[in-house]
């Protein structure tokens, strides 16, 4: 198969200007924010709040990376030509997985070196008191789940999850870059094979992440839809970050000259709309099933989120995380206007961060056993963690850009993608 011809209008296939300044700035901001976050552990009682904040930040950026990985796999498995010009940037984003694995280590160190129940209460069987003055080790519900909820299983599973993400990312990226050199269709075939086995592997791994890292914070709770909820957040975050990347490259001039057009913006906007509806469907389905069954082991989780300010945050989820972006993304003009869809993407990033806080923070209880307030040091450390971990991820992404072409210039579908119209 001969290499496809690239239209003359798509000339900017390499960086318009160096990226080193942006990469260094992202790294500096990330390191400073990480230091500030962990200095919070020196405050009396601050280690637990920093741990929960760090878990939110890690969960946020792991979700972005998983979304990039799943989008890349889906583009390959469906042979979707519209996203070919965007796929290389998703592949660069996958380089963050190895750093995210390293940045998860502080949570393991807190668990091993600090009180075992600092973050996940079930890790301390003898001292963590739960309902009715019963310790975890005497809780029948825990022992029904003990084969899964133990430190060894947690550690090994987390390593396996990151191993799956890093391995699949390396396969996809290596084959895509190799095709730039020789134009062989064998690399396209290899990536389709990787996508076929990778989609179920990623689905299982992200479900495990949601269950081990987040759901087990309140291990009495039962939900069969929690992994799908996290998948919806992964896709919404990845699509929104994809829009910001497209806008940044377009504004720099790298993505101008015929590389992307309004149809690309519209297609990614359509996916943002689709996963906004999907997120709402999953969350409503989970709530409705638990409300309808009325089983105490399930309803308590929602009950503690329906008092005080947490109820208002729940309403932000309904109207802010679903209704407003849903109405905005119905508009064709909003989806194809670069500055408007960029603002919508930023908004979705903020509300999805609030969604993670709503799911994770109420597991942190005060002395009376009530969920701590939303506006607390935990929220502050969650924000600094998102900035710190995000700085490292953005640095990793920007550092990867100059290593190859901005678009996969010899992909069999690249010409169709450059001239894409709906």
């Amino acid at each position: 198969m001969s290499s496809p011809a690239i239209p003359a209008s798509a000339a900017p296939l390499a960086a318009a200007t160096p990226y080193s300044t942006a990469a260094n700035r992202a790294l500096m901001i990330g390191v400073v924010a990480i230091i500030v976050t962990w200095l919070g552990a020196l405050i009396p009682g601050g280690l637990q709040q920093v741990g929960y904040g760090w878990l939110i930040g890690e969960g946020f950026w792991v979700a972005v990376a998983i979304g990039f990985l799943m989008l890349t796999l889906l583009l390959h498995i469906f042979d979707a030509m519209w996203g070919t010009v965007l796929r290389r940037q998703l592949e660069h984003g996958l380089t963050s997985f190895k750093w995210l694995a390293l940045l998860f280590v502080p949570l393991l160190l807190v668990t091993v070196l600090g009180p075992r129940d600092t973050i996940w209460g079930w890790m301390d069987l003898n001292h963590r008191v739960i309902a009715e003055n019963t310790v975890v080790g005497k809780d029948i519900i825990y022992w029904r789940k003990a084969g899964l909820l133990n430190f060894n299983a947690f550690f090994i599973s987390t390593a396996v999850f990151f191993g799956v993400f890093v391995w699949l990312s390396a396969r996809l990226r290596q084959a895509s870059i190799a095709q730039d050199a020789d134009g062989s269709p064998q690399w396209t075939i290899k990536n389709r094979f990787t996508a076929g086995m990778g989609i179920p592997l990623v689905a299982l791994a992200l479900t495990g992440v949601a269950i081990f890292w987040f759901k087990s914070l309140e291990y009495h709770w039962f939900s069969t839809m929690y992994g799908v909820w996290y998948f919806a957040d992964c896709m919404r975050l990845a699509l929104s970050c994809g829009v910001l990347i497209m806008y940044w490259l377009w504004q720099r001039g790298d993505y101008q000259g015929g590389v992307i057009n309004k149809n690309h913006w519209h297609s990614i906007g359509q996916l943002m709309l689709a996963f906004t509806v999907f997120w709402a469907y999953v969350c409503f389905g989970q709530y409705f099933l638990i409300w309808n069954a009325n089983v105490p082991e399930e309803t308590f989780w929602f009950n503690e989120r329906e008092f005080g300010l947490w109820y208002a945050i729940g309403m932000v989820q309904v109207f802010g995380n679903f209704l407003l972006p849903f109405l905005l993304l119905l508009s064709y003009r909003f989806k194809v206007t670069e500055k408007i869809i960029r603002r919508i993407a930023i908004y979705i990033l903020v509300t999805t961060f609030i969604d993670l806080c709503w799911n994770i923070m109420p597991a942190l209880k005060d002395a009376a056993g009530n969920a701590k307030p939303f506006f607390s040091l935990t929220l502050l450390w969650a924000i600094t963690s998102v900035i710190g971990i995000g700085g490292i991820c953005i640095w990793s992404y920007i550092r990867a850009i100059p290593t190859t072409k901005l678009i996969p210039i010899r992909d069999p579908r690249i010409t169709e993608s450059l001239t894409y119209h709906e």
Side-chain angles (χ1 to χ4, degrees):
M1 179 183 294
S2 60
S3 301
I6 306 297
S9 59
L13 301 178
T17 56
Y19 294 92
S20 56
T21 301
N24 292 336
R25 187 181 295 119
L27 179 61
M28 180 180 66
I29 292 172
V31 170
V32 170
I34 289 171
I35 293 172
V36 169
T37 301
W38 286 101
L39 284 176
L42 301 178
I43 301 173
L47 181 61
Q48 189 175 46
Q49 292 178 314
V50 168
Y52 270 73
W54 193 259
L55 180 61
I56 293 170
E58 180 80 2
F60 182 94
W61 286 104
V62 167
V64 172
I66 291 174
F68 281 173
L69 178 55
M70 189 61 85
L71 279 171
T72 305
L73 293 169
L74 290 172
L75 287 172
H76 282 297
I77 201 70
F78 288 114
D79 196 21
M81 61 88 174
W82 74 269
T84 305
V85 297
L86 313 177
R87 199 188 69 224
R88 181 56 51 80
Q89 304 311 314
L90 302 179
E91 293 166 354
H92 291 330
L94 300 181
T95 61
S96 64
F97 271 123
K98 57 181 179 292
W99 301 109
L100 288 166
L102 181 63
L103 291 167
F104 192 83
V105 172
L107 295 175
L108 298 177
L109 292 178
V110 166
T111 301
V112 173
L113 302 178
R116 292 295 293 266
D117 63 342
T118 299
I119 302 172
W120 296 278
W122 49 267
M123 287 193 178
D124 190 338
L125 303 183
N126 300 318
H127 301 98
R128 183 58 175 259
V129 177
I130 56 174
E132 300 176 357
N133 296 321
T134 302
V135 295
V136 173
K138 296 182 180 179
D139 181 18
I140 185 62
I141 295 179
Y142 170 75
W143 286 110
R144 293 292 185 182
K145 303 180 178 183
L148 190 68
L149 297 185
N150 61 79
F151 180 78
N152 289 336
F154 182 92
F155 180 86
I156 294 171
S157 297
T158 297
V160 170
F161 300 152
F162 277 118
V164 167
F165 299 145
V166 171
W167 175 63
L168 288 173
S169 299
R171 279 181 62 92
L172 292 168
R173 183 173 159 80
Q174 181 270 334
S176 179
I177 294 174
Q179 192 170 55
D180 283 353
D182 59 21
S184 173
Q186 67 169 324
W187 303 115
T188 297
I189 296 171
K190 179 179 179 179
N191 274 339
R192 286 178 188 169
F193 176 80
T194 301
M197 68 174 176
I199 290 174
L201 286 176
V202 173
L204 291 172
L206 74 87
T207 300
V209 165
I211 291 173
F212 272 105
W213 296 4
F214 312 135
K215 184 170 173 286
S216 73
L217 292 169
E218 297 176 280
Y219 70 87
H220 275 202
W221 188 46
F222 291 81
S223 173
T224 58
M225 301 179 70
Y226 204 65
V228 187
W229 157 78
Y230 190 56
F231 167 68
D233 271 357
C234 291
M235 298 303 288
R236 298 187 76 201
L237 287 171
L239 289 165
S240 297
C241 286
V243 166
L244 297 185
I245 290 171
M246 289 168 61
Y247 183 85
W248 179 60
L249 293 173
W250 173 79
Q251 194 175 46
R252 279 174 48 92
D254 299 332
Y255 258 10
Q256 292 184 9
V259 177
I260 60 172
N261 56 49
K262 289 188 180 297
N263 296 300
H264 294 107
W265 292 105
H266 186 237
S267 291
I268 199 169
Q270 286 179 308
L271 284 175
M272 292 169 69
L273 174 62
F275 279 99
T276 295
V277 175
F278 180 71
W279 175 88
Y281 164 75
V282 170
C283 292
F284 173 77
Q286 178 178 255
Y287 183 88
F288 178 75
L289 290 173
I290 290 175
W291 174 83
N292 192 48
N294 199 26
V295 177
E297 286 80 8
E298 298 174 347
T299 55
F300 83 91
W301 193 88
F302 283 102
N303 287 339
E304 63 189 15
R305 287 164 173 78
E306 293 184 350
F307 291 97
L309 186 59
W310 285 112
Y311 177 78
I313 300 301
M315 292 299 100
V316 169
Q317 297 293 88
V318 174
F319 295 101
N321 206 7
F322 164 62
L323 187 60
L324 181 56
F326 170 74
L327 294 175
L328 292 174
L329 289 168
L330 286 176
S331 167
Y332 173 83
R333 183 172 68 86
F334 288 178
K335 290 196 286 286
V336 301
T337 304
E338 294 86 353
K339 291 184 178 180
I340 295 178
I341 195 170
R342 170 177 170 266
R343 295 187 187 114
I344 296 173
I346 294 172
Y347 176 81
I348 290 175
L349 291 177
V350 173
T351 55
T352 306
F353 167 75
I354 294 173
D355 185 28
L356 284 170
C357 291
W358 189 81
N359 275 268
I360 295 170
M361 284 176 57
L364 184 57
K365 303 294 194 296
D366 58 22
N370 300 315
K372 287 191 175 182
F374 175 72
F375 291 108
S376 62
L377 283 177
T378 306
L379 178 62
L380 173 62
W381 304 137
I383 293 171
T384 58
S385 296
V386 166
I387 295 172
I389 297 172
I392 303 301
C393 292
I394 294 170
W395 165 76
S396 177
Y397 158 75
I398 297 176
R399 194 179 65 158
I401 296 177
T403 62
T404 184
K405 300 294 186 181
L406 279 170
I407 62 174
I409 58 173
R410 291 187 173 181
D411 187 284
R413 306 301 297 274
I414 188 61
T415 303
E416 294 174 276
S417 186
L418 288 167
T419 57
Y420 171 57
H421 60 86
E422 296 176 306

